[in-house]
Amino acid sequence: MKTPFHITKNSSRCELLMPTEIREILRLAQINHLEVIPLIQTFGHMEFVLKHKEFAHLREIPMYPNSLNPHREESHQLLHAMIRQVMELHPGLRWLHIGSDEVYYLGEGEESKKYFSKNGHTVEDLFICHLKKVASHVVSTYPGVKLISWDDMLRGASAQKLTGGVEGDSTILIVMCLEKLDAWHFSLCCFLSWLDSGVTKLVEPMIWDYTPNLDVENRVALIEKYSQSGFQKIWLASAFKGATGTSQQLTLSDITWKTTNVGYRWYRRYPMIFCRDWPSLAGRVLCELLPVGIPSLAVCLQTLKNGAYSDQVAASVQNVLGMSSLDTENYTCEASGSFPGSDVLILITQILFFLKAPTQEFLERNRFVMARFTEREKTMIHPIMVQQIEPEAVSLLSNWTLLLGDLQAALLKIFPDVTVDEWIEEHLMPYYVQLQQLVQDLNTALENQT
């Protein structure tokens, strides 16, 4: 959940939720017996802050705004302010997700290199140190709040390192480190964290994997390692849409398979399963909208509830969502439904599967259309060629105009203008504009011949 960080004056209003909006979300969640768990990035994926000039000096690599420099006290002051804002807006919070995934280029900054050369630590040590420092601040400032973090940066660490055991010749190592601690407060913190990381007592790792072909045994081994390290609870995270590409539509069968084979297998032991909704990837444009993913989410939840996907699960989802059919293999059937947002699902399905595909075929494979018109050709094109192209072009353009108007009206009932404009511009307008230009060229060619 994005929050109204007042730290920077340059934040765009459309990117943020206002306090009144957050309070309304919390109110609706409570009415519907849902518990909100905010997520705040505290290490990687910090572009939303580090892209601004006033915080650029806190980057791990000056050129890249993705990762925070963990060595500077100002970095932690920034995180404390952000966390405070989130906590103030969520009274009675039980869980807080502190992100910490994909901390790209960690250890490649100049301060990190100096730190490694003086102390002989690894990237895993540096990550664990920062994670513990952030987590310790939260649990000491907000007693009773449980922390969740993404697990990928912990995967390379041994069970011994996670529990705080020193690997190798501990006596020599301790002497070497102690000789260099005087001028390094951060190093002292990391050294003590290394001896007793305590991270297993502070956070609950969330194992994420959104790949279509999940390596089940590998993930089972990872769960076992975390369990042996002392983590009391382990979360499992899959995705019900949009996880592997900006135009990727994960089939329900892929997600159901992942949820059933990994999630349910461990559900009785670690009843913490997370089905993630991906609206965008790596700060790029919106890839999918929530209404389109609601049937997929419903299938995932019902599969977890029943232990496996079955005709009974499909019938239950169809009944709850008011759908006449449910295609869990290709998801290219005629969409239907009576749930909130179903009109968006129906329109997007019509456009993507029944209009976009024939438009691509027409624009990219029709031998008359493939040759783009130069200004000279517009005055010389034969009427027969125009007759071969124009009827289908005009028909497609008419269908696009009608459905785009309906979709825009449906989307504006749910999303802000900027979201609607972004999604339509990115995913639909390229085809619409090409058709418009083609029809215009054809009309120009005909006018030049009269």
Side-chain angles (χ1 to χ4, degrees), residues 393-404:
V394 171
S395 176
L396 286 171
L397 182 59
S398 176
N399 289 335
W400 272 98
T401 301
L402 178 64
L403 287 175
L404 275 177

Side-chain angles (χ1 to χ4, degrees), residues 23-43:
R23 284 191 284 269
E24 178 64 8
I25 291 173
L26 295 175
R27 186 186 70 83
L28 293 172
Q30 184 176 26
I31 291 174
N32 290 279
H33 309 289
L34 298 172
E35 184 167 359
V36 174
I37 301 178
L39 186 153
I40 178 172
Q41 295 292 355
T42 57
F43 211 169

